[in-house]
Amino acid sequence: NAGVMQNPRHLVRRRGQEARLRCSPMKGHSHVYWYRQLPEEGLKFMVYLQKENIIDESGMPKERFSAEFPKEGPSILRIQQVVRGDSAAYFCASSKPGQEIAEAFFGQGTRLTVV
Amino acid sequence: GENVEQHPSTLSVQEGDSAVIKCTYSDSASNYFPWYKQELGKRPQLIIDIRSNVGEKKDQRIAVTLNKTAKHFSLHITETQPEDSAVYFCAAQNTGNQFYFGTGTSLTVIP
């Protein structure tokens, strides 16, 4: 079991470009959570998805940010027209479906730098 | 929704001493409380967890306690070592499988 895989590990984008961050959950996991972490700060919840459904996107900015988790393939966090303030580490975590209590495991994160 | 508060934000202890980190939560329906350790530049890693039907759980030098009535839970690290230095996050999971994290505690173990 390869664990939660995120790519790329590092991403540099110029202001105004688009950033696409990918997260492949652990085998058998169909719940995905995305978090943003600024340097020396905590994990800020962005969005919680299950396969083909957004369950809770209350932490995601209304503009420029979107997330999806298609039936096939990884979950994608998309940031359009990036600005310097988007620079952060973005972590995803995954958990198993169908359990009352589900442990969540994190990927290595994608460090986005906007120049 | 759930609100998780974590204290202290920074903690320094001498090697060999104990460290205690405390968290409170607001949603009495939350039923699972994991703790994560994040070393610099790395992913948060699950180190111990406790479920709402248990009051205490121990794994070697790490223990977690839960007081459901008071809605607080704590992480205890005994005989601290320099490699325990990291940021520790508590979390609470509600019945909707959503996780809410505390703001983190930066632990420094001084050799």
Side-chain angles (χ1 to χ4, degrees):
Chain A
N1 194 332
V4 181
M5 303 298 291
Q6 287 187 251
N7 67 81
R9 293 286 307 279
H10 301 274
L11 182 61
V12 179
R13 284 287 177 266
R14 294 189 184 279
R15 279 179 295 170
Q17 290 185 320
E18 178 180 287
R20 278 185 178 242
L21 288 62
R22 294 173 184 77
C23 171
S24 296
M26 287 177 70
K27 188 176 180 181
H29 287 195
S30 61
H31 296 189
V32 167
Y33 311 83
W34 285 93
Y35 295 87
R36 178 162 69 178
Q37 187 175 41
L38 294 170
E40 298 185 12
E41 291 194 11
L43 295 158
K44 184 175 181 296
F45 167 74
M46 298 184 74
V47 61
Y48 166 34
L49 309 105
Q50 296 176 13
K51 281 283 187 183
E52 299 184 277
N53 284 305
I54 296 175
I55 306 303
D56 181 354
E57 57 182 348
S58 59
M60 205 151 67
K62 294 286 187 283
E63 296 179 355
R64 303 190 298 110
F65 285 73
S66 63
E68 62 176 4
F69 189 15
K71 188 177 179 181
E72 302 290 337
S75 175
I76 306 286
L77 178 67
R78 183 181 176 206
I79 312 172
Q80 296 178 291
Q81 299 171 0
V82 295
V83 301
R84 288 227 170 101
D86 296 332
S87 296
Y90 292 83
F91 288 94
C92 79
S94 73
S95 66
K96 256 186 182 179
Q99 296 182 305
E100 186 180 333
I101 289 172
E103 298 167 333
F105 297 93
F106 281 86
Q108 293 275 33
T110 292
R111 279 155 184 82
L112 172 65
T113 303
V114 179
V115 298
Chain B
E2 175 67 279
N3 180 40
V4 177
E5 295 190 356
Q6 182 172 348
H7 300 280
S9 57
T10 59
L11 179 60
S12 291
V13 299
Q14 292 289 334
E15 183 177 357
D17 287 351
S18 294
V20 180
I21 302 170
K22 298 181 179 181
C23 288
T24 60
Y25 62 100
S26 59
D27 186 352
S28 56
S30 290
N31 55 8
Y32 173 60
F33 307 92
W35 286 87
Y36 290 83
K37 174 184 180 182
Q38 187 179 28
E39 296 176 350
L40 190 63
K42 296 190 177 180
R43 77 177 90 190
Q45 291 204 297
L46 180 67
I47 55 172
I48 195 166
D49 55 20
I50 192 164
R51 306 186 178 199
S52 59
N53 58 349
V54 175
E56 184 174 355
K57 183 177 178 181
K58 191 172 181 181
D59 182 3
Q60 298 182 358
R61 296 186 297 108
I62 296 174
V64 59
T65 58
L66 171 65
N67 183 327
K68 284 176 59 180
T69 303
K71 294 203 282 271
H72 67 70
F73 56 113
S74 301
L75 178 72
H76 304 252
I77 307 173
T78 58
E79 300 171 26
T80 53
Q81 300 167 3
E83 51 265 38
D84 295 329
S85 295
V87 178
Y88 291 81
F89 293 98
C90 64
Q93 184 185 42
N94 64 10
T95 51
N97 279 351
Q98 175 58 292
F99 286 90
Y100 297 88
F101 281 85
T103 48
T105 296
S106 178
L107 173 65
T108 302
V109 179
I110 303 164

